[in-house]
Amino acid sequence: MDQIAAQVEFGLPSHSVLSAFDVALLRKSRVLSALSDEELSRLLAMARPELIAASSVIVPQSTPIDCLLVILSGTAKVVMTGAAGREVTLEMLRPGDLIAETSLVDGSPTTASVIALSDVQLLALPRHEVVQLLGRYPQLTLSLLSEMANRMRRAEETIFALALQDIEERLCRVLVRLARDERSPDHQGGLLMRRRPTQQELANMVGATRESVSRCLTTLARKGLAVCQGRSMLLTSRLLRRETDS
């Protein structure tokens, strides 16, 4: 974590502050929710709180880290950057999501960078402590494997989309996934995405240029599939039906 600490603002500096955290914060994690309240309290006692400023790199690509990070608040993105500087966004992370869970298992360097999209509040859990918990609680191990399988499945879907789908199909798939991940509210039979990603962010997610995404969004609006409303976006019932049927 030394590489990370240089970029962290310790807004929650002491373990006395940790006691103010309710275990409900960790219950947001699909993995850690497998533990009882008592076990989560023990985990909190050994955790280190960290506050990352928006736009900061939480974890650099190809960096070994010695802890598991849990997002308590804020959002981040997982990105890979090529030699020419082109960026591909693999995943959007929200409260409850884990960072560097693969490195936790095999101790290998990270394969991607994680960048804060807003101010992000984290808990850093020492790797050796988490590994001990995995040995003691089989359900926790199963939950971690399930989460890793889910991310692998998404990666496979991304590979399929890049190889066989056109930009419009890829963009529709990403928009629906983002809306469902953020639990967007129902609106007129569709989903209202409260924070619409920028065109460049969407381009990085679908493997296209910003200009291509801009044209595609115009096409989706003309077809009545997706409508931008300021910083939000309405994904209509027609788009949801199309994605369900595909």
Side-chain angles (χ1 to χ4, degrees):
M1 285 288 289
D2 290 343
Q3 297 94 335
I4 304 170
Q7 303 176 63
V8 173
E9 297 177 8
F10 288 89
L12 303 170
S14 70
H15 281 277
S16 62
V17 179
L18 274 176
S19 62
F21 278 93
D22 190 273
V23 294
L25 289 171
L26 289 185
R27 289 241 170 262
K28 294 179 180 179
S29 168
R30 291 181 294 271
V31 174
L32 298 180
S33 60
L35 296 173
S36 68
D37 286 355
E38 180 181 356
E39 291 156 354
L40 286 175
S41 296
R42 269 189 219 146
L43 202 56
L44 281 171
M46 64 184 73
R48 182 173 72 252
E50 298 178 355
L51 185 63
I52 311 293
S55 302
S56 297
V57 176
I58 301 174
V59 176
Q61 186 171 319
S62 303
T63 301
I65 63 173
D66 59 357
C67 63
L68 178 68
L69 303 175
V70 186
I71 296 180
L72 296 180
S73 66
T75 57
K77 62 180 179 178
V78 182
V79 301
M80 295 187 75
T81 306
R86 184 173 178 181
E87 184 179 288
V88 176
T89 300
L90 304 177
E91 192 88 25
M92 304 292 283
L93 302 179
R94 296 176 174 80
D97 284 337
L98 305 181
I99 298 175
E101 69 279 4
T102 304
S103 296
L104 171 77
V105 174
D106 63 5
S108 62
T110 56
T111 56
S113 300
V114 181
I115 300 172
L117 293 174
S118 64
D119 288 348
V120 174
Q121 193 176 37
L122 299 170
L123 279 184
L125 309 173
R127 179 177 182 269
H128 68 279
E129 298 287 356
V130 179
V131 169
Q132 288 182 12
L133 281 176
L134 291 173
R136 289 203 300 268
Y137 303 108
Q139 187 56 49
L140 179 62
T141 303
L142 289 174
S143 296
L144 179 60
L145 289 174
S146 177
E147 180 67 11
M148 294 174 68
N150 180 55
R151 294 201 180 180
M152 183 181 297
R153 192 175 299 110
R154 286 196 174 192
E156 291 171 345
E157 291 172 354
T158 298
I159 293 170
F160 169 82
L162 289 172
L164 300 175
Q165 293 181 334
D166 60 26
I167 293 176
E168 182 176 317
E169 289 175 307
R170 299 202 302 268
L171 183 59
C172 289
R173 179 186 61 85
V174 165
L175 289 173
V176 172
R177 190 185 79 187
L178 289 174
R180 287 176 174 159
D181 283 351
E182 76 165 23
R183 297 180 175 86
S184 296
D186 293 339
H187 184 77
Q188 299 174 357
L191 293 175
L192 183 62
M193 187 185 299
R194 287 161 292 202
R195 182 201 172 274
R196 171 172 56 89
T198 66
Q199 292 180 2
Q200 187 59 59
E201 287 172 340
L202 289 172
N204 292 344
M205 292 180 206
V206 301
T209 65
R210 187 194 64 77
E211 292 76 16
S212 296
V213 167
S214 178
R215 289 193 295 269
C216 193
L217 289 173
T218 300
T219 300
L220 294 180
R222 188 174 64 249
K223 292 180 177 179
L225 297 175
V227 182
C228 296
Q229 301 176 341
R231 289 296 295 136
S232 63
M233 175 183 286
L234 174 63
L235 309 183
T236 67
S237 57
R238 289 181 57 196
L239 174 58
L240 299 183
R241 284 196 301 272
R242 192 178 93 164
E243 287 301 295
T244 300
D245 295 340
S246 62

